Amino acid sequence: MTPELDPVIHAQARLRVVVTLNTLKEGDRITFPGLKDLLGMTAGNLSVHLTKLEEAGYVEIVKTHRGRTPVTYVALTRRGRLAFEDYTAAIHRLLNTTMTPPSGDS
């Protein structure tokens, strides 16, 4: 049976976001512009994908102020980390399935 890949994470742009956020320690966060620059994405594109991830409970977005300047922080939630672990495990199972030669006649 082929493993099911999480469609929320599987989209290329969202996978890049989750992989990047997963490199942060649990509880750490990154500013929206910092994430945008790291990924080389436009603000609009990143915003759309973060919304989808937030709706799934995979990221947390906190809007606050640094002095008088508004700042937006992004972090991977515990649920997001677990979903990414499940996703990577499914990828490994998929690769192991496709790399194992079928048994039987050769």
Side-chain angles (χ1 to χ4, degrees):
M1 184 171 145
T2 304
E4 186 69 28
L5 298 177
D6 184 330
V8 175
I9 295 176
H10 192 64
Q12 181 182 353
R14 289 192 295 272
L15 178 58
R16 290 176 58 223
V17 170
V18 172
V19 166
T20 301
L21 293 175
N22 194 60
T23 64
L24 300 174
K25 292 179 187 170
E26 195 164 345
D28 282 356
R29 55 193 186 170
I30 187 170
T31 63
F32 180 90
L35 183 59
K36 178 182 78 67
D37 291 346
L38 272 175
L39 296 171
M41 297 173 75
T42 65
N45 193 18
L46 179 56
S47 181
V48 166
H49 291 294
L50 285 175
T51 298
K52 186 82 168 176
L53 290 164
E54 184 180 37
E55 288 170 353
Y58 294 173
V59 299
E60 177 184 47
I61 298 170
V62 176
K63 296 179 184 246
T64 187
H65 287 82
R66 189 182 299 146
R68 291 187 168 175
T69 306
V71 61
T72 301
Y73 291 104
V74 182
L76 198 59
T77 63
R78 181 78 182 126
R79 181 177 179 178
R81 287 185 187 279
L82 292 172
F84 183 63
E85 287 173 17
D86 290 345
Y87 179 85
T88 56
I91 289 286
H92 285 291
R93 286 192 307 276
L94 179 63
L95 292 173
N96 288 337
T97 300
T98 58
M99 294 174 123
T100 305
S103 59
D105 299 323
S106 296

